[in-house]
Amino acid sequence: MKITFSNKKLEKLVQNERKMVKEFGSLRAAILKKRLTHLEDAATLEAVRFYPGNYHELKNNRKGQWSCDLDQPYRLIFTPHENPIPTNEDGQFIWIEISGIEVIEIINYHKEK
């Protein structure tokens, strides 16, 4: 899958392993690198759906975004490149039709409440 980033700072950070370790610590950096590799190697989002990391759609004010676990409580948050996001007749997102993502943040979004 093609992976883009919401801003240059985030893109440069994940492309430099030393900076990732400094920013996130060695554990989170290693998991983040693994998740990005899985996403990059996948043809569609469906391919990673059942990989470790609990890839899932978000709800409410984050509808249209996906998340996967890093080290608790941090998550990698991304959105599909497809616009509009493919859905079936029941309004469910069609993971197999998503072939690119934009990483928007690495965050503990439960802290937002």
Side-chain angles (χ1 to χ4, degrees):
M1 253 189 316
K2 180 178 168 105
I3 300 175
T4 58
F5 297 87
S6 62
N7 61 66
K8 290 289 183 194
K9 181 181 176 190
L10 182 57
E11 182 176 12
K12 287 181 179 182
L13 180 64
V14 301
Q15 291 177 345
N16 184 317
E17 192 165 344
R18 200 169 83 212
K19 285 183 182 180
M20 265 200 317
V21 170
K22 184 176 180 184
E23 177 77 17
F24 300 124
S26 58
L27 176 64
R28 189 173 311 142
I31 296 169
L32 174 57
K33 187 175 176 183
K34 184 187 299 184
R35 301 289 185 257
L36 290 171
T37 299
H38 287 163
L39 287 162
E40 194 172 67
D41 291 347
T44 69
L45 193 55
E46 181 69 26
V48 298
R49 189 174 200 158
F50 301 107
Y51 277 23
N54 186 29
Y55 290 84
H56 60 282
E57 302 167 19
L58 299 178
K59 300 175 185 172
N60 302 325
N61 64 331
R62 286 190 173 267
K63 186 169 176 69
Q65 297 178 354
W66 271 254
S67 171
C68 68
D69 296 344
L70 299 175
D71 58 323
Q72 291 294 335
Y74 286 87
R75 310 283 194 280
L76 174 67
I77 312 297
F78 55 92
T79 57
H81 285 164
E82 287 74 14
N83 189 12
I85 301 171
T87 57
N88 64 19
E89 60 276 353
D90 296 324
Q92 298 169 317
F93 294 126
I94 305 172
W95 290 47
I96 201 162
E97 293 184 16
I98 297 171
S99 59
I101 63 160
E102 178 176 68
V103 174
I104 56 175
E105 60 187 336
I106 296 158
I107 189 170
N108 171 9
Y109 60 75
H110 294 291
K111 245 170 95 174
E112 293 177 351
K113 295 178 181 176

PDB file of all heavy atoms in Angstrom, residues 4-26:
ATOM      1  N   THR A   4       1.333   7.794   2.909  1.00  0.00           N
ATOM      2  CA  THR A   4       1.743   9.191   2.958  1.00  0.00           C
ATOM      3  C   THR A   4       1.561   9.677   4.394  1.00  0.00           C
ATOM      4  O   THR A   4       1.025   8.960   5.242  1.00  0.00           O
ATOM      5  CB  THR A   4       0.908  10.057   1.989  1.00  0.00           C
ATOM      6  OG1 THR A   4      -0.476   9.939   2.327  1.00  0.00           O
ATOM      7  CG2 THR A   4       1.122   9.628   0.536  1.00  0.00           C
ATOM      8  N   PHE A   5       1.995  10.883   4.642  1.00  0.00           N
ATOM      9  CA  PHE A   5       1.940  11.438   5.997  1.00  0.00           C
ATOM     10  C   PHE A   5       1.278  12.807   5.956  1.00  0.00           C
ATOM     11  O   PHE A   5       1.428  13.544   4.984  1.00  0.00           O
ATOM     12  CB  PHE A   5       3.355  11.533   6.573  1.00  0.00           C
ATOM     13  CG  PHE A   5       3.999  10.178   6.726  1.00  0.00           C
ATOM     14  CD1 PHE A   5       4.697   9.602   5.666  1.00  0.00           C
ATOM     15  CD2 PHE A   5       3.868   9.470   7.898  1.00  0.00           C
ATOM     16  CE1 PHE A   5       5.254   8.346   5.788  1.00  0.00           C
ATOM     17  CE2 PHE A   5       4.428   8.207   8.035  1.00  0.00           C
ATOM     18  CZ  PHE A   5       5.118   7.647   6.975  1.00  0.00           C
ATOM     19  N   SER A   6       0.579  13.131   7.019  1.00  0.00           N
ATOM     20  CA  SER A   6      -0.187  14.381   7.060  1.00  0.00           C
ATOM     21  C   SER A   6       0.705  15.621   7.104  1.00  0.00           C
ATOM     22  O   SER A   6       0.267  16.709   6.759  1.00  0.00           O
ATOM     23  CB  SER A   6      -1.134  14.387   8.260  1.00  0.00           C
ATOM     24  OG  SER A   6      -0.399  14.322   9.466  1.00  0.00           O
ATOM     25  N   ASN A   7       1.957  15.450   7.530  1.00  0.00           N
ATOM     26  CA  ASN A   7       2.871  16.590   7.539  1.00  0.00           C
ATOM     27  C   ASN A   7       4.313  16.101   7.399  1.00  0.00           C
ATOM     28  O   ASN A   7       4.618  14.946   7.668  1.00  0.00           O
ATOM     29  CB  ASN A   7       2.675  17.444   8.802  1.00  0.00           C
ATOM     30  CG  ASN A   7       2.958  16.678  10.080  1.00  0.00           C
ATOM     31  OD1 ASN A   7       4.087  16.286  10.347  1.00  0.00           O
ATOM     32  ND2 ASN A   7       1.910  16.458  10.880  1.00  0.00           N
ATOM     33  N   LYS A   8       5.166  17.010   6.973  1.00  0.00           N
ATOM     34  CA  LYS A   8       6.576  16.668   6.720  1.00  0.00           C
ATOM     35  C   LYS A   8       7.322  16.278   7.997  1.00  0.00           C
ATOM     36  O   LYS A   8       8.198  15.419   7.964  1.00  0.00           O
ATOM     37  CB  LYS A   8       7.304  17.852   6.051  1.00  0.00           C
ATOM     38  CG  LYS A   8       6.870  18.096   4.630  1.00  0.00           C
ATOM     39  CD  LYS A   8       7.380  17.001   3.729  1.00  0.00           C
ATOM     40  CE  LYS A   8       7.014  17.275   2.295  1.00  0.00           C
ATOM     41  NZ  LYS A   8       7.190  16.119   1.451  1.00  0.00           N
ATOM     42  N   LYS A   9       6.970  16.899   9.115  1.00  0.00           N
ATOM     43  CA  LYS A   9       7.654  16.583  10.374  1.00  0.00           C
ATOM     44  C   LYS A   9       7.450  15.108  10.733  1.00  0.00           C
ATOM     45  O   LYS A   9       8.409  14.411  11.079  1.00  0.00           O
ATOM     46  CB  LYS A   9       7.130  17.480  11.488  1.00  0.00           C
ATOM     47  CG  LYS A   9       7.794  17.234  12.823  1.00  0.00           C
ATOM     48  CD  LYS A   9       7.224  18.118  13.909  1.00  0.00           C
ATOM     49  CE  LYS A   9       7.859  17.768  15.236  1.00  0.00           C
ATOM     50  NZ  LYS A   9       7.202  18.407  16.355  1.00  0.00           N
ATOM     51  N   LEU A  10       6.221  14.634  10.643  1.00  0.00           N
ATOM     52  CA  LEU A  10       5.920  13.237  10.939  1.00  0.00           C
ATOM     53  C   LEU A  10       6.604  12.309   9.946  1.00  0.00           C
ATOM     54  O   LEU A  10       7.170  11.290  10.323  1.00  0.00           O
ATOM     55  CB  LEU A  10       4.400  13.017  10.929  1.00  0.00           C
ATOM     56  CG  LEU A  10       3.886  11.629  11.272  1.00  0.00           C
ATOM     57  CD1 LEU A  10       4.368  11.176  12.646  1.00  0.00           C
ATOM     58  CD2 LEU A  10       2.364  11.601  11.204  1.00  0.00           C
ATOM     59  N   GLU A  11       6.592  12.677   8.672  1.00  0.00           N
ATOM     60  CA  GLU A  11       7.240  11.857   7.645  1.00  0.00           C
ATOM     61  C   GLU A  11       8.739  11.724   7.901  1.00  0.00           C
ATOM     62  O   GLU A  11       9.290  10.624   7.871  1.00  0.00           O
ATOM     63  CB  GLU A  11       6.991  12.467   6.270  1.00  0.00           C
ATOM     64  CG  GLU A  11       7.576  11.669   5.134  1.00  0.00           C
ATOM     65  CD  GLU A  11       7.237  12.243   3.764  1.00  0.00           C
ATOM     66  OE1 GLU A  11       6.747  13.380   3.686  1.00  0.00           O
ATOM     67  OE2 GLU A  11       7.484  11.536   2.782  1.00  0.00           O
ATOM     68  N   LYS A  12       9.392  12.836   8.194  1.00  0.00           N
ATOM     69  CA  LYS A  12      10.835  12.803   8.461  1.00  0.00           C
ATOM     70  C   LYS A  12      11.147  12.010   9.727  1.00  0.00           C
ATOM     71  O   LYS A  12      12.151  11.306   9.794  1.00  0.00           O
ATOM     72  CB  LYS A  12      11.390  14.220   8.565  1.00  0.00           C
ATOM     73  CG  LYS A  12      11.486  14.911   7.228  1.00  0.00           C
ATOM     74  CD  LYS A  12      12.064  16.294   7.359  1.00  0.00           C
ATOM     75  CE  LYS A  12      12.151  16.931   5.983  1.00  0.00           C
ATOM     76  NZ  LYS A  12      12.749  18.259   6.021  1.00  0.00           N
ATOM     77  N   LEU A  13      10.277  12.114  10.711  1.00  0.00           N
ATOM     78  CA  LEU A  13      10.481  11.406  11.963  1.00  0.00           C
ATOM     79  C   LEU A  13      10.470   9.894  11.752  1.00  0.00           C
ATOM     80  O   LEU A  13      11.368   9.194  12.212  1.00  0.00           O
ATOM     81  CB  LEU A  13       9.387  11.800  12.958  1.00  0.00           C
ATOM     82  CG  LEU A  13       9.436  11.146  14.328  1.00  0.00           C
ATOM     83  CD1 LEU A  13      10.696  11.542  15.087  1.00  0.00           C
ATOM     84  CD2 LEU A  13       8.205  11.534  15.124  1.00  0.00           C
ATOM     85  N   VAL A  14       9.486   9.369  11.032  1.00  0.00           N
ATOM     86  CA  VAL A  14       9.398   7.915  10.853  1.00  0.00           C
ATOM     87  C   VAL A  14      10.395   7.379   9.831  1.00  0.00           C
ATOM     88  O   VAL A  14      10.622   6.177   9.777  1.00  0.00           O
ATOM     89  CB  VAL A  14       7.963   7.436  10.519  1.00  0.00           C
ATOM     90  CG1 VAL A  14       7.005   7.820  11.616  1.00  0.00           C
ATOM     91  CG2 VAL A  14       7.507   7.942   9.189  1.00  0.00           C
ATOM     92  N   GLN A  15      11.001   8.244   9.048  1.00  0.00           N
ATOM     93  CA  GLN A  15      12.009   7.803   8.090  1.00  0.00           C
ATOM     94  C   GLN A  15      13.414   7.784   8.675  1.00  0.00           C
ATOM     95  O   GLN A  15      14.350   7.356   8.022  1.00  0.00           O
ATOM     96  CB  GLN A  15      11.970   8.688   6.841  1.00  0.00           C
ATOM     97  CG  GLN A  15      10.721   8.476   6.025  1.00  0.00           C
ATOM     98  CD  GLN A  15      10.628   9.403   4.832  1.00  0.00           C
ATOM     99  OE1 GLN A  15      11.337  10.400   4.733  1.00  0.00           O
ATOM    100  NE2 GLN A  15       9.737   9.085   3.915  1.00  0.00           N
ATOM    101  N   ASN A  16      13.558   8.225   9.915  1.00  0.00           N
ATOM    102  CA  ASN A  16      14.858   8.248  10.567  1.00  0.00           C
ATOM    103  C   ASN A  16      14.762   7.464  11.874  1.00  0.00           C
ATOM    104  O   ASN A  16      14.190   7.943  12.856  1.00  0.00           O
ATOM    105  CB  ASN A  16      15.271   9.705  10.825  1.00  0.00           C
ATOM    106  CG  ASN A  16      16.647   9.822  11.418  1.00  0.00           C
ATOM    107  OD1 ASN A  16      17.036   9.075  12.309  1.00  0.00           O
ATOM    108  ND2 ASN A  16      17.402  10.804  10.941  1.00  0.00           N
ATOM    109  N   GLU A  17      15.299   6.270  11.882  1.00  0.00           N
ATOM    110  CA  GLU A  17      15.153   5.386  13.043  1.00  0.00           C
ATOM    111  C   GLU A  17      15.711   6.009  14.320  1.00  0.00           C
ATOM    112  O   GLU A  17      15.118   5.875  15.382  1.00  0.00           O
ATOM    113  CB  GLU A  17      15.822   4.039  12.765  1.00  0.00           C
ATOM    114  CG  GLU A  17      15.451   3.006  13.797  1.00  0.00           C
ATOM    115  CD  GLU A  17      15.789   1.593  13.365  1.00  0.00           C
ATOM    116  OE1 GLU A  17      16.039   1.354  12.180  1.00  0.00           O
ATOM    117  OE2 GLU A  17      15.795   0.731  14.250  1.00  0.00           O
ATOM    118  N   ARG A  18      16.800   6.701  14.218  1.00  0.00           N
ATOM    119  CA  ARG A  18      17.396   7.321  15.407  1.00  0.00           C
ATOM    120  C   ARG A  18      16.461   8.385  15.998  1.00  0.00           C
ATOM    121  O   ARG A  18      16.268   8.458  17.209  1.00  0.00           O
ATOM    122  CB  ARG A  18      18.756   7.919  15.063  1.00  0.00           C
ATOM    123  CG  ARG A  18      19.625   8.143  16.293  1.00  0.00           C
ATOM    124  CD  ARG A  18      21.036   8.481  15.948  1.00  0.00           C
ATOM    125  NE  ARG A  18      21.083   9.913  15.674  1.00  0.00           N
ATOM    126  CZ  ARG A  18      21.892  10.490  14.812  1.00  0.00           C
ATOM    127  NH1 ARG A  18      22.739   9.768  14.120  1.00  0.00           N
ATOM    128  NH2 ARG A  18      21.873  11.781  14.620  1.00  0.00           N
ATOM    129  N   LYS A  19      15.846   9.179  15.120  1.00  0.00           N
ATOM    130  CA  LYS A  19      14.896  10.198  15.590  1.00  0.00           C
ATOM    131  C   LYS A  19      13.649   9.554  16.190  1.00  0.00           C
ATOM    132  O   LYS A  19      13.110  10.043  17.178  1.00  0.00           O
ATOM    133  CB  LYS A  19      14.483  11.127  14.439  1.00  0.00           C
ATOM    134  CG  LYS A  19      15.539  12.114  14.050  1.00  0.00           C
ATOM    135  CD  LYS A  19      15.044  13.031  12.958  1.00  0.00           C
ATOM    136  CE  LYS A  19      16.119  14.003  12.536  1.00  0.00           C
ATOM    137  NZ  LYS A  19      15.664  14.903  11.463  1.00  0.00           N
ATOM    138  N   MET A  20      13.206   8.445  15.584  1.00  0.00           N
ATOM    139  CA  MET A  20      12.033   7.734  16.121  1.00  0.00           C
ATOM    140  C   MET A  20      12.309   7.244  17.535  1.00  0.00           C
ATOM    141  O   MET A  20      11.470   7.388  18.425  1.00  0.00           O
ATOM    142  CB  MET A  20      11.665   6.534  15.235  1.00  0.00           C
ATOM    143  CG  MET A  20      10.617   6.825  14.229  1.00  0.00           C
ATOM    144  SD  MET A  20       9.775   5.351  13.577  1.00  0.00           S
ATOM    145  CE  MET A  20      11.038   4.174  13.281  1.00  0.00           C
ATOM    146  N   VAL A  21      13.468   6.645  17.742  1.00  0.00           N
ATOM    147  CA  VAL A  21      13.818   6.126  19.064  1.00  0.00           C
ATOM    148  C   VAL A  21      13.909   7.275  20.068  1.00  0.00           C
ATOM    149  O   VAL A  21      13.426   7.161  21.201  1.00  0.00           O
ATOM    150  CB  VAL A  21      15.126   5.314  19.014  1.00  0.00           C
ATOM    151  CG1 VAL A  21      15.628   4.984  20.413  1.00  0.00           C
ATOM    152  CG2 VAL A  21      14.922   4.041  18.210  1.00  0.00           C
ATOM    153  N   LYS A  22      14.489   8.383  19.658  1.00  0.00           N
ATOM    154  CA  LYS A  22      14.610   9.534  20.552  1.00  0.00           C
ATOM    155  C   LYS A  22      13.229  10.088  20.921  1.00  0.00           C
ATOM    156  O   LYS A  22      12.981  10.427  22.078  1.00  0.00           O
ATOM    157  CB  LYS A  22      15.450  10.628  19.892  1.00  0.00           C
ATOM    158  CG  LYS A  22      15.715  11.811  20.780  1.00  0.00           C
ATOM    159  CD  LYS A  22      16.614  12.825  20.124  1.00  0.00           C
ATOM    160  CE  LYS A  22      16.851  13.995  21.053  1.00  0.00           C
ATOM    161  NZ  LYS A  22      17.634  15.040  20.425  1.00  0.00           N
ATOM    162  N   GLU A  23      12.337  10.152  19.957  1.00  0.00           N
ATOM    163  CA  GLU A  23      10.999  10.715  20.180  1.00  0.00           C
ATOM    164  C   GLU A  23      10.072   9.765  20.937  1.00  0.00           C
ATOM    165  O   GLU A  23       9.324  10.180  21.815  1.00  0.00           O
ATOM    166  CB  GLU A  23      10.364  11.072  18.829  1.00  0.00           C
ATOM    167  CG  GLU A  23       8.943  11.597  18.905  1.00  0.00           C
ATOM    168  CD  GLU A  23       8.845  13.043  19.361  1.00  0.00           C
ATOM    169  OE1 GLU A  23       9.860  13.763  19.313  1.00  0.00           O
ATOM    170  OE2 GLU A  23       7.742  13.449  19.757  1.00  0.00           O
ATOM    171  N   PHE A  24      10.098   8.478  20.595  1.00  0.00           N
ATOM    172  CA  PHE A  24       9.108   7.531  21.102  1.00  0.00           C
ATOM    173  C   PHE A  24       9.659   6.474  22.055  1.00  0.00           C
ATOM    174  O   PHE A  24       8.881   5.740  22.659  1.00  0.00           O
ATOM    175  CB  PHE A  24       8.430   6.796  19.937  1.00  0.00           C
ATOM    176  CG  PHE A  24       7.714   7.691  18.976  1.00  0.00           C
ATOM    177  CD1 PHE A  24       8.020   7.663  17.629  1.00  0.00           C
ATOM    178  CD2 PHE A  24       6.717   8.559  19.407  1.00  0.00           C
ATOM    179  CE1 PHE A  24       7.356   8.479  16.729  1.00  0.00           C
ATOM    180  CE2 PHE A  24       6.049   9.381  18.519  1.00  0.00           C
ATOM    181  CZ  PHE A  24       6.365   9.342  17.179  1.00  0.00           C
ATOM    182  N   GLY A  25      10.966   6.347  22.128  1.00  0.00           N
ATOM    183  CA  GLY A  25      11.556   5.260  22.904  1.00  0.00           C
ATOM    184  C   GLY A  25      11.738   4.044  22.007  1.00  0.00           C
ATOM    185  O   GLY A  25      11.084   3.922  20.964  1.00  0.00           O
ATOM    186  N   SER A  26      12.599   3.137  22.405  1.00  0.00           N
ATOM    187  CA  SER A  26      12.949   2.016  21.530  1.00  0.00           C
ATOM    188  C   SER A  26      11.788   1.048  21.308  1.00  0.00           C
ATOM    189  O   SER A  26      11.603   0.547  20.201  1.00  0.00           O
ATOM    190  CB  SER A  26      14.170   1.268  22.057  1.00  0.00           C
ATOM    191  OG  SER A  26      13.935   0.803  23.358  1.00  0.00           O
TER     192      SER A  26
END
